[in-house]
Amino acid sequence: MSGFSDRNAIVTGAANGIGRAISDALLAAGGRVVAVDLAEQDLLQHFEGRNNVTCLATDVADDEAPEQIVETAVETYGGIDFLVNNAGIAIGGPFEELTDEQWDLIMGVNVRSIFRLSRAAVPYLKQSDAPRIVNLGSIMSDMAGPNLSIYGASKHAVAGLTKGMAVDLGRFGITVNYLQPGSIITRMSEPFMEDPEFKAYWENKAPIGRLGEAEEVAAAAMFLLSEEARFVSGTGLNVDGGAIVNF
Ligand code: NAD
């Protein structure tokens, strides 16, 4: 795969898990990264002192975040080629116990922030000769799981938003796609995996027979960002060991 050298990327949720693996892959391939996360300590611990990476500690759901993030990228690196909307949260519980506050929080981080940051980045993406947006959906963009109805709704919304963006932004040469990871070993999935039954369910659900790793999702993100994926737009790519087709 090619097309990463000297490209400027914004990666949200870059301090841990999948976002960190995507940032590392981009840096290793010669790209430059604005690493955005609200966990400032985690960001600094991983990226401080490294070349071609600028850390920005902010909450992507804040009203002023899109302008702040885009400005940082443009002022530091002169433009934006790739936007990876990865930051996300998974809060769950039995449907009848879920709250309005949880709805607003999850939708704010997982969906609204993607809409707002992408909109702010479009004027700069238009100036790139290989502009790409990759959003983090989930296996839950297509299916449902127990106690995750708001999270699932947010990830279905990511799929719909991605498709609409692909239609509207294609005329500028911008490709827009989403990833659909299955169960991946990260800090997000850790609390769920403490339940041995839940863990065994997901290990068995994937015909490959195990949970996934953040680097395996990053490899799929790199494909969608690559030069070779220039005609791929509006699609979701499963990275789930085959779980979603295993009825
Ligand atoms: P993670 O918790 O390991 O990392 C997420 C990072 O995002 C953290 O560093 C966190 O601080 C940051 N973040 C959270 N809210 C933020 C906010 N409001 N502003 C800025 N940063 C914020 O999670 P992960 O597993 O790497 O998940 C990354 C993405 O992948 C999410 O969108 C998630 O929904 C999706 N996903 C994960 C899995 C999985 O099994 N881990 C499966 C499917 C989809």
Side-chain angles (χ1 to χ4, degrees), residues 8-181:
N8 304 322
I10 294 169
V11 181
T12 68
N16 289 287
I18 293 167
R20 185 167 73 190
I22 294 172
S23 302
D24 283 345
L26 281 167
L27 290 168
R32 294 181 280 259
V33 174
V34 175
V36 180
D37 206 292
L38 48 71
E40 184 167 22
Q41 281 317 310
D42 293 356
L43 264 184
L44 294 177
Q45 202 176 320
H46 190 70
F47 294 110
E48 200 170 29
R50 291 174 63 181
N51 290 330
N52 296 323
V53 59
T54 298
C55 293
L56 179 62
T58 195
D59 182 336
V60 293
D62 280 354
D63 280 347
E64 59 280 6
E67 283 65 36
Q68 190 192 7
I69 295 166
V70 164
E71 246 177 61
T72 302
V74 173
E75 279 171 14
T76 313
Y77 297 127
I80 304 167
D81 300 295
F82 304 157
L83 170 59
V84 182
N85 286 304
N86 164 79
I89 48 173
I91 302 168
F95 178 75
E96 65 279 18
E97 291 172 19
L98 296 171
T99 66
D100 294 355
E101 290 72 26
Q102 287 172 328
W103 175 273
D104 290 343
L105 179 64
I106 295 170
M107 288 299 184
V109 176
N110 291 8
V111 188
R112 186 172 178 268
S113 79
I114 296 183
F115 160 61
R116 297 187 71 246
L117 179 54
S118 301
R119 189 180 54 186
V122 162
Y124 302 96
L125 289 165
K126 278 181 182 175
Q127 295 170 30
S128 168
D129 58 359
R132 308 264 188 273
I133 299 177
V134 174
N135 298 325
L136 260 291
S138 162
I139 196 169
M140 303 269 170
S141 296
D142 264 346
M143 56 177 270
N147 295 332
L148 283 169
S149 48
I150 303 178
Y151 179 77
S154 77
K155 293 300 183 182
H156 274 67
V158 169
L161 180 61
T162 304
K163 291 170 191 173
M165 287 165 62
V167 169
D168 284 351
L169 300 177
R171 67 182 183 279
F172 307 120
I174 303 173
T175 69
V176 193
N177 294 288
Y178 63 108
L179 292 166
Q180 302 195 98

